[in-house]
Amino acid sequence: MMSLSGKNILLGITGGIAAYKCPDLVRHLKKAGAQVRVVLTESASHFVAPMTLQAVSGNAVSKELFDPTAELSMSHIELAKWADLVLIAPATANIIAKMANGIADDLLSTICLATPAKIVIAPAMNQQMYKAAATQQNLATLESRNTLVLGPDEGFQACGDIGPGRMVEPTTIVENINNYFLANSELAGTTITVTAGPTIEELDPVRYISNYSSGKMGFAIAKAAAEMGATVNLISGPVNLTTPNNVNRINVKSAKQMYDEALVLAEKSAIFISCAAVADYRAETIAKNKIKKTDDSNELVIKLVKNPDIVASIAGLKEHRPFVVGFAAETNDVKTYALKKLTTKNLDLICANDVSDHNIGFNSDQNALTLYWQNGEQTLPLSSKQQLAKQLLQAVITRYKASHDEKKN
Ligand code: C5P
């Protein structure tokens, strides 16, 4: 599975002839879904044009440590914090030596010291420089500090020598980065099932009862979970949204269909997140033909019957019960109602949002949530649903692990 979707990669390019491969490297990283920002050293700019890198990465290229314009858009500290991974390719003997010794005398070497992110380097240099005791010692120092060293490859070199020192190919670099994220993803090996969107309950062949749920929050959760390495099932009511990468989407219409799919998948999942706005009632019978307007009465009575409560049914499973997360969209007394649902539906965690504020909730791109669980709560302030989904999953992981530990003791 190749996906760098949602990952911020800072590519540092230093002055080696292999820098000519960097536009291609950026293209591969972008194709895998990553956001890429490029930092060039002074000597790298002699090998590859900043304009080319700006065009392929879609972002301004940074070069100087003391560039007021660049610092305004993103300072060196912000760049260092922005990165989920710093990749230096090609990495010359010089940058390797600087990193091993903690020297910060230009933008890239400063970022290397300032970043909390994983650092990956793809050394490229003359074979003799690579074999030099100083370089070998510096590489060993970096590896002992958890820097991932890719390559170098052996073969013909630009200088005419033959030996180790060629930069590994861009596709190999991207593959290794992908593997790194996979191996370190918090939810690797965990299956999560998410329900999203509204359900629609048919009245006749042309009419139905539904609600305004857009599905955005559930889709954001599914996307974030997949980016964190989970195997994700997304059971979705009818919505107008694209399926996130690496998410197994199951389309349903009615609550009954959602219930059937959810029950099968929840038993195979470690975590079940019920984000769908499920219709509480459906028509007792769906008329075979279009219901006609009558002249003799001003009323039409349609008998509704209760739909199964999906999340409560899953939380009530005696065997293979996943960790169950519900949502409570409320217009008043949010905390009281949320806590009541937490208990009556036997949930492990409930996410409450106040839908009386029209800037958040149902159709908006933003949301704010308060999470409640037995004896605890956490507020996730107003932010994009994408950002919120990540924070929510972090909280879910913490609670999920805690509940496992509690069961063990
Ligand atoms: O009871 P209420 O609809 O307010 O509860 C909301 C929570 O219950 C949400 O997590 C929603 O997905 C879930 N739910 C469900 N099946 C229903 C009704 C609600 O799973 N029939």
Side-chain angles (χ1 to χ4, degrees), residues 195-197 199 255 258-259 272-281 306-314 325-330 337 341 344-345 347 349-351:
T195 67
T199 64
M258 188 173 271
Y259 174 83
F272 178 78
I273 303 180
S274 184
C275 198
V278 186
D280 290 325
Y281 293 92
K306 232 185 193 157
N307 270 326
D309 192 309
I310 304 171
V311 77
S313 308
I314 286 163
V325 181
F327 273 72
E330 307 291 348
Y337 285 124
K341 277 178 200 168
T344 53
K345 296 190 187 220
L347 309 177
L349 190 141
I350 192 150
C351 318

Side-chain angles (χ1 to χ4, degrees), residues 126-144:
N126 164 272
Q127 53 89 24
Q128 201 58 57
M129 288 173 84
Y130 175 69
K131 286 180 194 157
T135 306
Q136 287 304 312
Q137 214 166 10
N138 289 335
L139 282 169
T141 304
L142 291 184
E143 280 185 309
S144 73

Side-chain angles (χ1 to χ4, degrees), residues 33-271:
Q35 282 285 335
V36 183
R37 285 182 179 270
V38 178
V39 171
L40 278 177
T41 61
E42 176 57 37
S43 45
S45 59
H46 297 294
F47 291 97
V48 61
M51 195 59 93
T52 314
L53 293 158
Q54 180 175 312
V56 284
S57 69
N59 284 313
V61 169
S62 313
K63 229 178 97 184
E64 311 286 340
L65 186 52
F66 301 107
D67 175 353
T69 342
E71 287 280 307
L72 268 183
S73 76
M74 217 183 215
S75 76
H76 61 283
I77 298 293
E78 278 168 326
L79 274 172
K81 283 187 185 158
W82 170 85
D84 293 313
L85 185 140
V86 173
L87 165 67
I88 303 180
T92 56
N94 184 45
I95 188 78
I96 291 169
K98 286 207 274 190
M99 287 166 74
N101 290 287
I103 294 170
D105 64 352
D106 63 3
L107 180 58
L108 183 59
S109 51
T110 306
I111 287 173
C112 287
L113 266 191
T115 190
K118 178 79 178 175
I119 303 183
V120 178
I121 61 171
M125 67 200 73
N126 164 272
Q127 53 89 24
Q128 201 58 57
M129 288 173 84
Y130 175 69
K131 286 180 194 157
T135 306
Q136 287 304 312
Q137 214 166 10
N138 289 335
L139 282 169
T141 304
L142 291 184
E143 280 185 309
S144 73
R145 291 182 199 147
N146 262 331
T147 299
L148 176 61
V149 181
L150 304 177
D153 279 346
E154 289 208 32
F156 285 102
Q157 301 203 296
C159 55
D161 283 7
I162 301 173
R166 287 166 58 98
M167 185 175 89
V168 286
E169 287 305 318
T171 46
T172 313
I173 295 178
V174 178
E175 243 174 66
N176 274 281
I177 288 178
N178 185 57
N179 289 345
Y180 164 75
F181 279 121
L182 267 185
N184 289 279
S185 51
E186 256 178 303
L187 291 173
T190 307
T191 301
I192 299 190
T193 296
V194 183
T195 67
T199 64
I200 61 173
E201 310 299 330
E202 290 181 13
L203 300 176
D204 70 12
V206 292
R207 301 185 182 96
Y208 59 79
I209 302 175
S210 190
N211 58 64
Y212 289 122
S213 169
S214 64
K216 285 177 189 166
M217 192 67 226
F219 273 59
I221 293 171
K223 181 172 188 277
E227 284 169 4
M228 288 161 98
T231 303
V232 184
N233 301 308
L234 173 62
I235 308 173
S236 175
V239 293
N240 198 7
L241 297 172
T242 352
T243 313
N245 283 341
N246 302 310
V247 165
N248 170 36
R249 174 171 173 179
I250 301 105
N251 287 325
V252 294
K253 281 186 178 170
S254 67
K256 181 71 180 62
Q257 287 170 351
M258 188 173 271
Y259 174 83
D260 290 342
E261 297 288 351
L263 235 63
V264 174
L265 291 171
E267 289 199 342
K268 298 177 192 158
S269 305
I271 298 168

